């Protein structure tokens, strides 16, 4: 990815068995775990990329957050979400970006991601356009005028009452 402008890369690992970091949600009712990258300036348009390994578990999803200005522990209180759920669907949508806690799904596409295997998730945000790639293949190409203001980015694991985790590596942002 050769683009002018600021970028952030987290590449502490050179081997998939030694991840950069892991997010874990320990159960409870409809809970999530988020990691916000405070060193990345707020942005509206950019490209986010991560290598992720989802661990098996019902009612779970793993992915990235963008354009988020509200970071309290409210479910669905983020800006935009790009995620892969436990049914192997690639999903984009937006939260309330406040404590209201609502989620609006914009697109969902079935994908054959295998639990326990690493895959690359790339999300391009440009104005109202959202393009999502899994392992280099375009999965979602949608537009939405919702939540187009600058905000921070991060990673997220959601798990209902079962708890769960995911391993993230090689996270990068270009804007």
């Amino acid at each position: 990815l050769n683009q002018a402008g600021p970028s952030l890369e987290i590449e502490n690992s050179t081997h998939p068995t030694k991840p950069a970091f892991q997010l874990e949600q320990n159960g409870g009712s409809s809970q999530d775990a988020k990691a916000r990258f405070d060193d990345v300036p707020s942005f509206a348009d950019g490209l986010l990329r991560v290598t992720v390994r989802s661990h098996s578990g019902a009612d779970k999803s793993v992915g990235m957050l963008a354009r988020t200005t509200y970071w309290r522990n409210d479910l669905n209180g983020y800006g935009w979400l790009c995620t892969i759920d436990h049914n192997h669907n690639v999903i984009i949508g937006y939260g309330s970006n406040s404590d209201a806690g609502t989620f609006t799904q914009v697109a969902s596409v079935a994908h054959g991601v295998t639990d326990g295997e690493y895959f690359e998730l790339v999300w391009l945000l440009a104005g109202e356009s959202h393009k999502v790639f899994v392992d280099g293949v375009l999965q979602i190409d949608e537009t939405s005028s919702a939540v187009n203001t600058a905000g921070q980015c991060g990673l997220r694991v959601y798990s209902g009452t079962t708890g769960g985790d995911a391993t993230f590596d090689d996270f990068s942002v270009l804007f």
Side-chain angles (χ1 to χ4, degrees), residues 87-151:
N87 291 320
H88 307 138
N89 296 310
V90 181
I91 299 168
I92 63 167
Y94 55 92
S96 60
N97 223 6
S98 71
D99 63 357
T102 59
F103 175 75
T104 302
Q105 181 173 298
V106 173
S108 176
V109 176
H111 188 276
V113 172
T114 304
D115 286 336
E117 298 291 322
Y118 282 89
F119 61 91
E120 179 187 58
L121 185 60
V122 175
W123 183 17
L124 176 63
L125 298 97
E128 296 180 357
S129 175
H130 295 260
K131 294 179 192 247
V132 179
F133 299 82
V134 177
D135 289 333
V137 178
L138 180 64
Q139 300 294 320
I140 293 177
D141 187 355
E142 290 288 332
T143 59
S144 173
S145 61
V147 192
N148 286 329
T149 58

Side-chain angles (χ1 to χ4, degrees), residues 45-88:
D45 296 341
L47 183 138
L48 291 82
R49 179 201 161 279
V50 70
T51 301
V52 65
R53 179 176 65 164
S54 176
H55 302 265
S56 61
D59 194 23
K60 186 170 77 169
S61 66
V62 298
M64 299 181 281
L65 300 170
R67 297 179 178 169
T68 298
T69 57
Y70 184 83
W71 285 94
R72 292 179 65 188
N73 285 332
D74 295 314
L75 189 62
N76 302 323
Y78 43 79
W80 274 91
L81 169 70
C82 174
T83 192
I84 296 184
D85 73 4
H86 66 283
N87 291 320
H88 307 138

Side-chain angles (χ1 to χ4, degrees), residues 10 12-13 18-23 34-35 37 50-51 118 154-156 166-171:
I10 297 175
N12 298 335
S13 167
K18 298 177 183 174
F21 60 93
Q22 187 166 338
L23 281 177
K34 301 179 202 80
F37 296 100
V50 70
T51 301
Y118 282 89
L155 301 173
R156 178 180 186 253
T167 304
F168 296 92
D169 202 357
D170 299 329
F171 180 72

